[in-house]
Structure formats: C-alpha cells, structure tokens
Amino acid sequence: MKRVKGFLIFESAIAIIIISVVAVSCLYLTVAEGQKNGQEIELKTDRIYAYHVLKTSDLDQITVHDHVYERVGQHYLNDKTTNQKFKVKD
C-alpha cells in the first residue's frame, strides 16, 4: 500500500508541475502578444498624426517618437529613420 500512495503522490506532483508550466506559458504568450499589438498600434497612430501635421502645416518633416517623417505625396509618408514608405488613409 505504501508503494501505491508514493506513486499517486509522485503522479499528482508531476501533473501539478505540468499544469503550472502550461499556465505560465499561456500567460507569457498573452502578455507578449498584447505588447506587440500595442507597439504596432502606436506606430500606426504616430504615422497618421505625422501625416496630419505635415498636411495642415508648412513643415517639410516632423519627428514623432524618434522617427523622422516627411510627406512624399498625397496619402504617402516616408519614414527617414527606417527608410520605409507608408500609405496613410485620410
């Protein structure tokens, strides 16, 4: 009987460890994806803001959160920091 009790305790300890590892993994993935989505939304908002400011004023370029933006055409914005061109919806 002692061997059966020991096995059951060992089995339940392994099950608790596995469940806790899965729970921590899920929590990490949720937090990491949330931060990634937040950064993408922030960049998109910064681009729209920069385009609006450049459109309504006589500025050639503007710096928003360490990115230098310039307007290169109607509905287009150039990020000089990363050398990328973006289409912005009005």
Side-chain angles (χ1 to χ4, degrees):
M1 192 67 172
K2 286 186 178 184
R3 293 182 110 177
V4 173
K5 285 184 182 180
F7 176 75
L8 291 176
I9 291 173
F10 178 72
E11 184 181 19
S12 60
I14 295 296
I16 289 173
I17 290 171
I18 290 173
I19 290 170
S20 62
V21 166
V22 169
V24 168
S25 298
C26 290
L27 180 65
Y28 172 76
L29 289 174
T30 302
V31 170
E33 286 297 316
Q35 287 179 348
K36 182 180 172 185
N37 288 340
Q39 289 173 347
E40 289 176 7
I41 290 171
E42 182 181 354
L43 277 173
K44 193 173 183 181
T45 305
D46 289 347
R47 290 181 197 131
I48 293 170
Y49 171 72
Y51 180 78
H52 176 72
V53 170
L54 290 170
K55 181 180 166 188
T56 58
S57 65
D58 272 343
L59 297 175
D60 293 333
Q61 64 184 14
I62 187 171
T63 303
V64 180
H65 293 134
D66 298 332
H67 287 265
V68 179
Y69 296 104
E70 67 179 353
R71 190 171 168 206
V72 291
Q74 188 172 0
H75 302 290
Y76 285 97
L77 191 68
N78 185 26
D79 185 354
K80 284 184 159 182
T81 308
T82 60
N83 291 328
Q84 293 179 338
K85 192 174 183 181
F86 299 101
K87 185 173 183 178
V88 179
K89 293 182 180 179
D90 212 9

